[in-house]
Amino acid sequence: MQFNTVRELVGWAFQMSEAVPVKMQKFTDTAGGSFGELTPAEQRMMADDILAKIGRLPDDEQAALAAMFTGDPRAIKSAAWWLSRGTDVPLFEAIVWAWVEDGQIKGGQEAWAARLGATQQAIGKRKVGAMIRLDKITTSGFATIEVQVLDLVRTRLFYKG
């Protein structure tokens, strides 16, 4: 089983964590899975192994990767807390949602500026800064996972030499 990128591998692992292993029956034979010789149970174990590797990452990297791939509100809140370091968490939640979804802060920058007594430019700078940090955090997480799963990934994030 091989993936084109570590991002694809991590996404698959998160997807598998929600999947229920199912065997397909064809008359009396069990059909092979879509990944060659791996059974659904083996695929699930492989995904669990990848998720365990993610679980050993620093908390901010775990939260950012979980937010990116699941969109789970708990992961969004956790990533926002790590980004904000406990201040203006609701704004950072909106920013993380924007990073995960379409790039637009729900409610708009103008509304957030009024709510926080800041300028739209200040909110825009926070948004850009937070998104850059999220990208760096996830890149770091991908790089850490990548060196642990080199045999499963075709394209490397980083090249030496």
Side-chain angles (χ1 to χ4, degrees), residues 66-145:
M68 172 186 275
F69 288 105
T70 67
D72 184 277
R74 294 168 297 181
I76 300 285
K77 287 177 190 258
S78 180
W81 189 88
W82 284 106
L83 282 172
S84 69
R85 293 177 174 82
T87 60
D88 294 333
V89 176
L91 170 63
F92 282 90
E93 280 182 42
I95 291 170
V96 175
W97 276 114
W99 178 72
V100 167
E101 292 179 347
D102 60 4
Q104 301 300 317
I105 297 178
K106 286 186 175 37
Q109 286 182 203
E110 185 177 328
W112 279 102
R115 180 175 173 182
L116 297 174
T119 65
Q120 286 187 51
Q121 291 79 10
I123 299 299
K125 284 182 182 180
R126 283 186 183 175
K127 175 185 168 189
V128 169
M131 288 188 171
I132 289 170
R133 283 196 316 240
L134 284 164
D135 289 341
K136 286 181 180 180
I137 290 167
T138 54
T139 298
S140 176
F142 286 140
T144 302
I145 298 297

Side-chain angles (χ1 to χ4, degrees), residues 14 30 37 48 55 70 111 117 122-123 145 147 152-153 161:
F14 274 107
T30 301
E37 298 300 316
D48 288 345
T70 67
I123 299 299
I145 298 297
V147 297
L152 299 174
V153 180

Side-chain angles (χ1 to χ4, degrees), residues 145-157:
I145 298 297
E146 181 182 62
V147 297
Q148 299 173 50
V149 295
L150 290 174
D151 57 326
L152 299 174
V153 180
R154 288 187 186 106
T155 306
R156 306 288 186 256
L157 279 175

Side-chain angles (χ1 to χ4, degrees), residues 29-77:
D29 299 326
T30 301
S34 61
F35 294 111
E37 298 300 316
L38 293 181
T39 67
E42 290 169 329
Q43 291 175 33
R44 181 63 183 251
M45 287 187 327
M46 185 176 164
D48 288 345
D49 181 54
I50 301 301
L51 293 174
K53 291 175 186 340
I54 292 167
R56 290 188 291 272
L57 292 172
D59 292 341
D60 58 343
E61 292 176 13
Q62 287 180 44
L65 289 171
M68 172 186 275
F69 288 105
T70 67
D72 184 277
R74 294 168 297 181
I76 300 285
K77 287 177 190 258

